[in-house]
Amino acid sequence: MSVVERTLNRACNEITGFSELLQRFERKISILGRSKRTFENYSRHVAALALHFESLPTDLHPEQVKNYLFELQQRSHSPSQSYFKHTVYGLRFLLKSENLPYDYLHLPSIPKENKLPVILSREEIWRMLQHDGLLFEKNWVVYAKRPFGGPKQLIEYLGRYTHKVAISNHRIKNVTEQEVTISYKDYKDQSKTKQLTLKNEEFTRRFSLHVLAKRFVRIRHYGILSSSWKRGKLQRIQKDIKVVRPIIKPKTQHKKCYCCKDGNLITLHVFGQRGPPKAYLIGSQIAPVN
């Protein structure tokens, strides 16, 4: 028999009404979708509280409960330790399920200390910062080489990753349980499109190199240029500030006549690359079409 089972059995045998209280507690936790582990954890601490006072936890005065929690706090290194914390959570859940006041139950605030890593002491870090060979003794200048193709090529390269992901779906040609085949342009070989097969691990490694760091996002249109503002709101703003919008004439799909350059050239029929069909041929001559 485990420690939890022994504690619960002892509380059910020694405390009158604890068995019925425990059944209601288990039913309430189950209805709320909590796990069995949560019930066992909470009920264990509730049973220990009942055995300490030899009374039902629901019959205790708030001052009795506070004294009990104070004793637990003195035993623990920190009020955030699991036993103290789960005692508060378990009792609070029990009182809430029995429609009893539980506002006086809360965990004390724990101040967060700004500590240095335990690897180096404060004195060691200070001695390291005062060392003659560090940045603080020299003026460091970053040396950046000029890009081979000029700034235009650099911006063009970086621009590929501001709006899109590292690789588009159409470039992924085949995926197996071991390998991924992708297409790429070999710029050293006249920009010819070739295929490359990589192990799944290597493909994932290369793809992860293009994943943005935390809190970085790709360029998006926002504000008055966002998709939801382009239609309606943007036009109203332009009207209020009296912005003259240029009138764009729609381009006609018809070409001008090659001869007179005035009338529209209307396409009646388009022949394929192999010439006109037989219906338009008379012998070796092209039949006129009205």
Side-chain angles (χ1 to χ4, degrees):
M1 184 180 295
S2 64
V3 178
V4 177
E5 292 175 342
R6 288 199 299 268
T7 304
L8 292 177
N9 288 338
R10 183 184 165 197
C12 291
N13 294 330
E14 297 181 11
I15 309 299
T16 304
F18 186 82
S19 178
E20 293 77 7
L21 178 65
L22 194 64
Q23 290 177 0
R24 294 196 302 270
F25 190 39
E26 182 178 13
R27 185 170 62 246
K28 184 68 174 181
I29 287 183
S30 177
I31 292 174
L32 294 178
R34 304 297 176 88
S35 65
K36 185 178 180 181
R37 179 73 180 215
T38 301
F39 166 72
E40 293 177 351
N41 194 16
Y42 285 176
S43 60
R44 168 198 171 192
H45 294 83
V46 170
L49 175 66
L51 291 173
H52 178 82
F53 289 102
E54 297 182 352
S55 175
L56 291 175
T58 53
D59 295 339
L60 297 176
H61 191 273
E63 292 300 323
Q64 292 177 290
V65 177
K66 291 180 181 179
N67 291 334
Y68 179 76
L69 295 178
F70 177 75
E71 293 180 11
L72 291 182
Q73 185 178 1
Q74 297 305 309
R75 279 189 237 159
S76 303
H77 269 311
S78 163
S80 66
Q81 284 194 347
S82 60
Y83 193 92
F84 179 86
K85 179 174 64 176
H86 290 149
T87 300
V88 174
Y89 289 162
L91 183 57
R92 182 190 299 172
F93 204 104
L94 175 66
L95 295 178
K96 183 178 181 180
S97 64
E98 294 291 318
N99 296 323
L100 295 174
Y102 59 91
D103 295 338
Y104 64 91
L105 291 171
H106 58 85
L107 289 174
S109 58
I110 306 168
K112 294 184 179 180
E113 299 181 4
N114 296 324
K115 295 183 179 179
L116 293 172
V118 295
I119 301 175
L120 297 175
S121 65
R122 187 181 296 272
E123 292 76 15
E124 290 172 331
I125 294 178
W126 181 245
R127 286 199 301 269
M128 183 182 68
L129 294 177
Q130 290 181 322
H131 195 271
D132 293 337
L134 291 180
L135 288 85
F136 302 99
E137 299 291 335
K138 299 180 181 179
N139 292 325
W140 289 88
V141 179
V142 177
Y143 173 65
K145 290 185 177 180
R146 182 179 180 87
F148 295 109
K152 182 178 180 181
Q153 182 179 1
L154 178 62
I155 295 175
E156 181 182 358
Y157 174 80
L158 295 176
R160 302 171 189 168
Y161 304 100
T162 58
H163 293 76
K164 301 184 296 185
V165 294
I167 185 171
S168 303
N169 291 337
H170 74 276
R171 288 181 54 198
I172 302 177
K173 300 303 181 183
N174 187 33
V175 179
T176 65
E177 294 182 356
Q178 292 82 24
E179 297 175 335
V180 178
T181 302
I182 63 174
S183 64
Y184 72 101
K185 282 187 178 181
D186 190 350
Y187 293 99
K188 295 181 179 180
D189 190 7
Q190 301 178 353
S191 300
K192 292 181 179 179
T193 301
K194 299 181 180 180
Q195 290 192 355
L196 175 65
T197 301
L198 301 170
K199 295 291 185 182
N200 290 341
E201 295 81 5
E202 177 62 16
F203 175 78
T204 304
R205 185 191 70 83
R206 294 190 183 188
F207 187 89
S208 63
L209 294 176
H210 299 83
V211 176
L212 293 176
K214 187 177 181 181
R215 296 189 300 272
F216 283 84
V217 296
R218 299 194 181 278
I219 293 177
R220 297 285 190 273
H221 289 303
Y222 63 95
I224 61 174
L225 297 179
S226 64
S227 300
S228 59
W229 278 67
K230 283 183 179 179
R231 302 176 184 87
K233 296 182 179 179
L234 177 60
Q235 289 74 16
R236 288 198 297 269
I237 292 176
Q238 292 175 334
K239 182 178 179 181
D240 293 338
I241 61 177
K242 299 180 180 179
V243 174
V244 179
R245 300 180 62 191
I247 301 176
I248 302 176
K249 296 181 179 180
K251 295 183 179 180
T252 177
Q253 299 296 324
H254 301 292
K255 298 180 180 179
K256 296 295 181 180
C257 177
Y258 296 112
C259 299
C260 65
K261 307 294 184 180
D262 187 20
N264 293 328
L265 183 66
I266 300 176
T267 303
L268 297 179
H269 193 82
V270 178
F271 297 116
Q273 295 181 354
R274 303 182 65 180
K278 294 181 180 180
Y280 291 87
L281 295 176
I282 302 177
S284 59
Q285 301 294 327
I286 299 179
V289 179
N290 294 329

